[in-house]
Amino acid sequence: MTEHTTRNEPEPHTDSIPVPAPGVELPEELAEAVETEISYDEQFYPARPRSLRPRARRRHSFAGDLHPPFDPVASNKAYVEWLVNQSMLHDATTLSRQLSGQPEMWSMPYARPNPRRAVDTASVWFTAYPLSFITRPGQSFLAALGGEDLWDAFARIGIRAIHTGPVKLAGGISGWSPTPSIDGHFDRISLTIDPLFGTEEDFRSMQEVAAARGATIIDDIVPGHTGKGADFLLAQMNHHDYPGIYHMVSIPREAWSLLPDVPEGLDSVNLDPGTEQRLKKAGYIIGELQRVIFYEPGVKETNWSATREMLGTDGQTHRWVYLHYFKDGQPSINWLDPSFAGMRLVMGDALHSLLDLGAGGLRLDANGFLGVERAEEDDEAEEQDDATAPAWSEGHPLSVAANQLIGSMVRKVGGFTFQELNLTVDAIRATSVSGPDLSYDFITRPAYHHAFATGDTEFLRLTLHEGVKIGIDQASLVHALQNHDELTYELVHFATAHRADEYTYQGRTLLGAELGDQIRAELRHHLTGEAGPYNAVFTQNGIASTTLSVVAAALGYRDLAEITADDVPRLRAGHLLLAAYNALQPGVFALSGWDLAGILPLDHGEVADLIRTGDTRWIERGAHDLMDWNPAATESSAGMPRARSLYGALPQQLEDPDSFASRLSSMLHLRESHGIATGALLEVPDVGDPALLVLVNRLAVGAVQLSVFNFSERELTVRIASEHLSEGQWMKDLGTWHRAGDVDAAGGFVLELGPFGFRALIAEEPDTPDGGETGDTADTADTADTGDTGDVTDTASAASDRAVS
């Protein structure tokens, strides 16, 4: 390892010059370049210490640039050196040398997650998807995200951050040439920005525009796997410590008979369950895991694949079996190899995004699968010749430890993290105690879709109660509408660790596994098949859909082509209710361009090539033009077909007070002006109507705040009671500033809600000046009818404006 890192020491050059420590003089020919670099960064990041601006060495070139005349094999030292220069591990080493020993690395607290600090940094996020974003002709994705007009629109709506999605090079390398991404750029192979999306200068310019508006940029790292790039090829060549990056085992030649043949044209083949079991019994791999994500017969039947023969730099020919929780082009990183090469790679990627590019936060993708080990029951089972238990691969302590290291490193340099972890509520809680600052709301996301599809909030209330019982802080969650993934309904909490627990649902006692099965069946019944033929089941994970196509299916629209302008207000009202559920509670609220533009799914035939292997998520990723930059475009620059938009572009929406964006803007400014995002969930009370949901929150100022939702198209007159309300208090409607009801001796009051109505209320003491008449005035009735809590009076608008400014 020492020989490797020394031999590949970067030579000074102007596109990757390390910033010198104070008092260190550089040669004259380098001083000017360094000073220019520092001046640029100081202009954009004036508070960042000089020594925390590292640069990685990235000299990436492929066959299109080099046309090399020699073979891409391990015996060719030029090829091996070229791969090393493409590798993430090498760049991570370069970065670490510039940061080690710097006093600024100890200037920030890092041990404990700080969700409210992260929420204060940015409580409303726009989640971008590079492949689907239509830009001006010839403009890059990142340059478009830095557009002044886009950020002006975002500021009006109340959006304070952009999560860019993965924008670094992804896919693989075959010989001297790149191969495309097989999972939406979540198979990263480099620290370099993919030219498909722009340049590092575009990224930094985007960050400058965001910072000028008090906003931030959130980037991605993938601590669980890479793509099949230079790092994986060098691992297959058994080069230095590169095999230590991955969960991979070199199978000796005498055992190759246990391995399947690799078909011509492929570099690996998935193991069938029988081969997996034989290799386990032979002692080579730990075998079956707790579940097979993306299971597809004949495509992915296990989590293990075997490589074809490859000559190593040690002169030996190797065949490997490697782990991949996801697709075979996403080999899993080993967080407990003696070389700690995988950890070094991930940390380097994170520090590059934060300190080199200037991101303020990071999404940790698939971060719950960082530890795996043989089940303790295996030995006894093998002695009795019984079927062995699956390996421990979810909720593993190593995942918790690894996430603590990542979260701590990011906090150490002033950033924050959020995890997209679809595991049990217990695992989310355990990981968040010392790891990421925020967690994606996989807890209630399928539950609120179920509530809308059925008009019954019972399962949503059950799920919220489960989170409260286990100790989930709602303010630590990212509550989201659509993102690039499917409507996830695996309900891992009920299907795995709590499968034998008893729950009461619809008057019956069900085991967790039975409850999960029933909810999944009900979601499929209401949202797919005859009810929603435009939506599609995605393997065993969930349903591919947009938020608007969930609403459409639930409301009985069978053919999207028959939706007219007359149908939009009804669909929009349902969509706003789902937005309100996510926004009017503590935590981050996130939404996508598909939500802002009201996007419907693509016809399956438009993406037939992309979905032929079962990845139906591509139907929900249609291209959209948020700013009307390129009205004539029929697809994005990445080739995604343009999808139908029911709401139109943001400039036109923001001129229409009844539009989705305008109503959302009112809601979000209300949310910000009253500090709902940093509150705490106190209670989810029982309700007298199945369509009703009530969230009782404690705001940071100490006031009790209620968010009330009607998940039906019925008019509701309901009595709401809470142990946190007292006789004599009266309820102020934060959307109209009017009196909405008086709390009686039993701690309750009566409220009216229109179809898909929602209200944000605050408990006022008896001596507080009354803002209006008791009950629903004309203004509050309109609010209930439309679901728009944001038709505020001048007083409320002024308060909102002060908070925003």
Side-chain angles (χ1 to χ4, degrees):
M1 187 169 72
T2 303
E3 176 192 0
H4 160 58
T5 54
T6 301
R7 185 179 61 193
N8 295 307
E9 185 75 31
E11 301 168 357
H13 56 287
T14 57
D15 64 345
S16 62
I17 301 173
V19 178
V24 175
E25 294 187 3
L26 287 176
E28 183 177 349
E29 64 271 19
L30 295 183
E32 182 178 351
V34 172
E35 183 59 35
T36 301
E37 191 85 11
I38 292 173
S39 298
Y40 177 87
D41 275 341
E42 284 179 346
Q43 178 184 356
F44 292 155
Y45 315 117
R48 184 160 296 145
R50 285 192 173 193
S51 56
L52 296 185
R53 296 178 196 141
R55 288 288 184 268
R57 183 177 84 164
R58 292 177 297 281
R59 292 177 174 175
H60 293 271
S61 54
F62 292 103
D65 302 312
L66 291 179
H67 301 289
F70 24 80
D71 292 334
V73 293
S75 58
N76 180 354
K77 292 184 178 180
Y79 180 62
V80 173
E81 190 66 21
W82 179 79
L83 287 177
V84 168
N85 282 329
Q86 314 305 307
S87 73
M88 291 186 285
L89 182 59
H90 180 56
D91 268 357
T93 302
T94 302
L95 282 162
S96 68
R97 287 178 181 149
Q98 298 171 54
L99 295 169
S100 295
Q102 299 300 315
E104 291 83 0
M105 291 297 293
W106 299 97
S107 63
M108 299 287 290
Y110 61 86
R112 295 181 179 87
N114 194 338
R116 281 170 177 76
R117 175 182 172 273
V119 172
D120 272 335
T121 300
S123 69
V124 179
W125 301 353
F126 173 74
T127 56
Y129 190 66
L131 301 178
S132 302
F133 201 80
I134 294 177
T135 67
R136 292 182 175 88
Q139 186 181 37
S140 74
F141 165 72
L142 291 174
L145 287 188
E148 299 273 357
D149 52 350
L150 177 66
W151 277 101
D152 288 343
F154 281 178
R156 288 184 62 184
I157 293 169
I159 293 169
R160 297 289 181 263
I162 285 181
H163 174 215
T164 62
V167 293
K168 295 180 182 180
L169 280 170
I173 294 177
S174 178
W176 296 94
S177 302
T179 59
S181 171
I182 50 88
D183 189 28
H185 273 65
F186 286 96
D187 45 345
R188 179 167 297 173
I189 63 170
S190 173
L191 304 195
T192 302
I193 298 292
D194 192 326
L196 176 67
F197 304 134
T199 66
E200 291 192 357
E201 288 69 28
D202 290 336
F203 196 108
R204 295 190 185 98
S205 178
M206 170 183 62
Q207 173 62 20
E208 177 197 10
V209 173
R213 289 160 174 78
T216 193
I217 301 299
I218 304 168
D219 198 7
D220 282 74
I221 63 169
V222 188
H225 55 257
T226 71
K228 287 185 173 179
D231 296 272
F232 188 68
L233 287 176
L234 289 165
Q236 287 182 267
M237 292 177 181
N238 202 31
H239 185 67
H240 295 293
D241 52 357
Y242 281 86
I245 297 173
Y246 301 101
H247 280 290
M248 58 193 302
V249 178
S250 180
I251 307 299
R253 183 179 293 273
E254 59 268 21
W256 284 6
S257 60
L258 297 174
L259 302 179
D261 294 331
V262 178
E264 191 65 32
L266 299 180
D267 58 12
S268 64
V269 62
N270 189 243
L271 303 186
D272 60 60
T275 302
E276 177 187 60
Q277 188 63 21
R278 286 190 291 274
L279 285 168
K280 178 179 180 178
K281 287 188 175 181
Y284 293 115
I285 63 175
I286 59 176
E288 178 189 3
L289 271 55
Q290 288 171 267
R291 58 178 168 146
V292 180
I293 300 174
F294 295 170
Y295 175 84
E296 187 75 16
V299 177
K300 187 189 177 189
E301 298 182 349
T302 72
N303 294 298
W304 300 91
S305 287
T307 69
R308 63 168 58 254
E309 297 180 24
M310 179 175 283
L311 178 67
T313 55
D314 56 1
Q316 304 298 314
T317 302
H318 297 270
R319 288 198 71 185
W320 305 82
V321 172
Y322 67 95
L323 177 69
H324 53 95
Y325 284 101
F326 300 96
K327 298 181 179 182
D328 67 349
Q330 296 166 300
S332 293
I333 291 174
N334 183 353
W335 273 81
L336 202 57
D337 183 82
S339 69
F340 291 98
M343 182 189 299
R344 288 156 47 207
L345 182 153
V346 172
M347 293 300 188
D349 191 9
L351 292 171
H352 168 249
S353 291
L354 294 163
L355 301 179
D356 194 338
L357 297 180
L362 296 175
R363 192 255 304 264
L364 310 183
D365 181 70
N367 65 311
F369 308 100
L370 308 185
V372 59
E373 68 173 282
R374 179 186 176 100
E376 293 180 358
E377 303 93 323
D378 270 1
D379 292 336
E380 182 179 347
E382 286 184 353
E383 289 175 5
Q384 299 174 7
D385 202 25
D386 292 335
T388 56
W392 185 10
S393 56
E394 298 184 10
H396 194 283
L398 179 56
S399 289
V400 176
N403 278 281
Q404 180 178 7
L405 289 170
I406 299 170
S408 295
M409 179 62 78
V410 172
R411 287 187 289 272
K412 204 171 187 185
V413 296
F416 68 87
T417 56
F418 81 99
Q419 60 180 350
E420 197 163 357
L421 181 63
N422 185 21
L423 291 178
T424 66
V425 180
D426 315 66
I428 293 172
R429 163 69 177 157
T431 307
S432 63
V433 167
S434 57
D437 300 280
L438 302 167
S439 301
Y440 199 82
D441 185 5
F442 281 115
I443 300 168
T444 72
R445 191 167 186 246
Y448 79 73
H449 286 112
H450 180 268
F452 191 86
T454 63
D456 188 340
T457 65
E458 182 177 1
F459 179 65
L460 176 54
R461 285 181 278 117
L462 184 156
T463 305
L464 285 162
H465 286 143
E466 191 79 352
V468 170
K469 181 179 72 175
I470 291 172
I472 292 294
D473 178 3
Q474 291 296 107
S476 72
L477 298 180
V478 178
H479 311 287
L481 292 172
Q482 183 188 352
N483 67 4
H484 66 282
D485 272 329
E486 74 286 354
L487 187 171
T488 303
Y489 68 2
E490 293 163 292
L491 300 173
V492 178
H493 181 81
F494 301 101
T496 59
H498 297 270
R499 62 181 294 107
D501 291 359
E502 292 185 345
Y503 297 91
T504 300
Y505 179 67
Q506 295 182 339
R508 297 187 300 140
T509 298
L510 298 174
L511 298 179
E514 296 170 332
L515 177 61
D517 288 342
Q518 179 169 333
I519 299 301
R520 284 190 292 271
E522 290 173 354
L523 282 167
R524 288 193 298 268
H525 172 73
H526 287 282
L527 302 180
T528 66
E530 184 179 341
Y534 37 82
N535 298 325
V537 173
F538 171 58
T539 63
Q540 297 175 325
N541 292 56
I543 297 170
S545 64
T546 66
T547 305
L548 204 51
S549 72
V550 168
V551 174
L555 296 185
Y557 292 90
R558 303 294 180 257
D559 186 351
L560 297 180
E562 296 181 359
I563 292 176
T564 69
D566 292 337
D567 298 306
V568 172
R570 184 182 179 214
L571 292 164
R572 183 178 61 210
H575 198 171
L576 282 166
L577 172 68
L578 298 184
Y581 165 75
N582 286 284
L584 298 180
Q585 62 173 303
V588 168
F589 169 56
L591 78 166
S592 66
W594 298 297
D595 291 304
L596 285 172
I599 297 297
L600 296 172
L602 295 166
D603 183 87
H604 294 204
E606 295 181 89
V607 284
D609 287 344
L610 292 172
I611 66 175
R612 61 185 173 82
T613 60
D615 194 347
T616 55
R617 293 174 298 174
W618 292 104
I619 68 170
E620 69 188 49
R621 297 170 175 169
H624 47 277
D625 185 353
L626 277 187
M627 297 300 295
D628 206 20
W629 283 327
N630 194 354
T634 58
E635 60 182 27
S636 69
S637 58
M640 281 300 297
R642 186 172 190 147
R644 182 184 177 189
S645 165
L646 294 189
Y647 301 158
L650 293 182
Q652 290 73 41
Q653 285 196 61
L654 291 172
E655 295 304 312
D656 176 7
D658 291 327
S659 71
F660 179 84
S662 291
R663 293 185 179 184
L664 180 69
S665 173
S666 296
M667 183 198 308
L668 296 180
H669 288 150
L670 177 153
R671 175 182 193 259
E672 183 171 1
S673 64
H674 294 286
I676 293 174
T678 53
L681 179 64
L682 297 177
E683 183 187 5
V684 184
D686 294 333
V687 294
D689 190 288
L692 184 66
L693 175 71
V694 180
L695 303 178
V696 181
N697 305 310
R698 176 82 68 188
L699 303 183
V701 294
V704 174
Q705 183 269 321
L706 276 67
S707 295
V708 186
F709 311 91
N710 176 8
F711 277 81
S712 75
E713 286 192 285
R714 296 181 287 112
E715 298 274 353
L716 296 185
T717 300
V718 293
R719 184 178 184 278
I720 297 170
S722 169
E723 63 185 52
H724 298 280
L725 297 178
S726 305
E727 182 180 9
Q729 289 180 317
W730 59 277
M731 306 305 299
K732 179 189 289 185
D733 188 315
L734 295 179
T736 64
W737 231 242
H738 289 159
R739 194 180 190 113
D742 296 293
V743 180
D744 57 31
F749 63 98
V750 175
L751 188 72
E752 292 183 3
L753 288 168
F756 295 140
F758 51 89
R759 307 280 284 275
L761 313 171
I762 194 166
E764 297 282 7
E765 296 305 320
D767 57 352
T768 305
D770 193 341
E773 299 178 4
T774 301
D776 287 311
T777 64
D779 286 339
T780 56
D782 288 343
T783 300
D785 287 343
T786 62
D788 185 4
T789 64
D791 289 334
V792 294
T793 63
D794 291 340
T795 302
S797 295
S800 176
D801 291 341
R802 286 194 300 271
V804 173
S805 63

